[in-house]
Amino acid sequence: MFLSQLLPILLLAAPPELPAHPIDIDLARCLDSDEGASAHGARRCIRNATAAWDRELNRVYRELMDELDERQRLKLRDAQRKWTAFRDSEVDAVGTIYGSLEGTVFLVMQSEAVSSLTRERVRQLNGMLEVIRSAKP
């Protein structure tokens, strides 16, 4: 099945030095199940993972904001707003590009491209949070 061949490519977005995140593990499980065997099912699996990454982004962002002083919070808030604008623009571009191609695999690729944006932002913010916490006495 083409989705079982696509799974390793989708999970390549996770750098090998990082342990698999529970969201990625759930996504892999879903994609490897009967539900994920079709393009429609794979998109549903990825949409669920994207929603989970969005919740994780909000959680990590709040925790990071709690660790910062007022000046740092303002800078992070500004950066997050700009990142959100970038993400929305990127999602639009990816949708236009992949949406113009024929074949359901491109819809799956579009869904994964959207999900990976949020996954990477979570990793960025979580990295900052870990550094700040490790630097505290």
Side-chain angles (χ1 to χ4, degrees):
M1 195 120 263
F2 79 93
L3 290 174
S4 62
Q5 295 167 343
L6 186 62
L7 177 60
I9 295 168
L10 294 175
L11 295 179
L12 280 179
E17 67 274 5
L18 293 175
H21 191 282
I23 295 170
D24 287 330
I25 293 169
D26 288 345
L27 172 60
R29 192 175 300 124
C30 183
L31 289 172
D32 202 32
S33 72
D34 289 342
E35 178 185 1
S38 69
H40 180 72
R43 289 182 70 206
R44 185 176 27 252
C45 293
I46 296 168
R47 273 195 308 271
N48 290 341
T50 302
W53 279 117
D54 194 51
R55 288 188 301 276
E56 183 71 356
L57 176 63
N58 291 329
R59 183 192 67 76
V60 172
Y61 176 80
R62 282 190 305 272
E63 284 188 30
L64 180 56
M65 290 292 274
D66 289 343
E67 298 287 336
L68 302 176
D69 64 32
E70 185 61 27
R71 183 181 67 81
Q72 293 167 328
R73 279 193 296 272
L74 290 173
K75 288 290 188 179
L76 180 60
R77 186 175 299 123
D78 182 54
Q80 189 65 15
R81 287 177 179 159
K82 288 176 180 174
W83 176 84
T84 300
F86 161 76
R87 180 205 57 201
D88 293 347
S89 180
E90 186 75 3
V91 166
D92 185 47
V94 166
T96 299
I97 293 166
Y98 287 144
S100 69
L101 302 173
E102 289 191 33
T104 57
V105 71
F106 297 113
L107 297 174
V108 174
M109 291 171 66
Q110 176 184 352
S111 295
E112 173 52 28
V114 169
S115 186
S116 68
L117 289 167
T118 304
R119 177 190 306 120
E120 291 310 310
R121 185 61 176 166
V122 168
R123 289 187 174 137
Q124 291 167 352
L125 295 181
N126 200 46
M128 282 189 259
L129 181 60
E130 289 176 10
V131 167
I132 288 170
R133 286 181 173 166
S134 68
K136 286 189 173 184

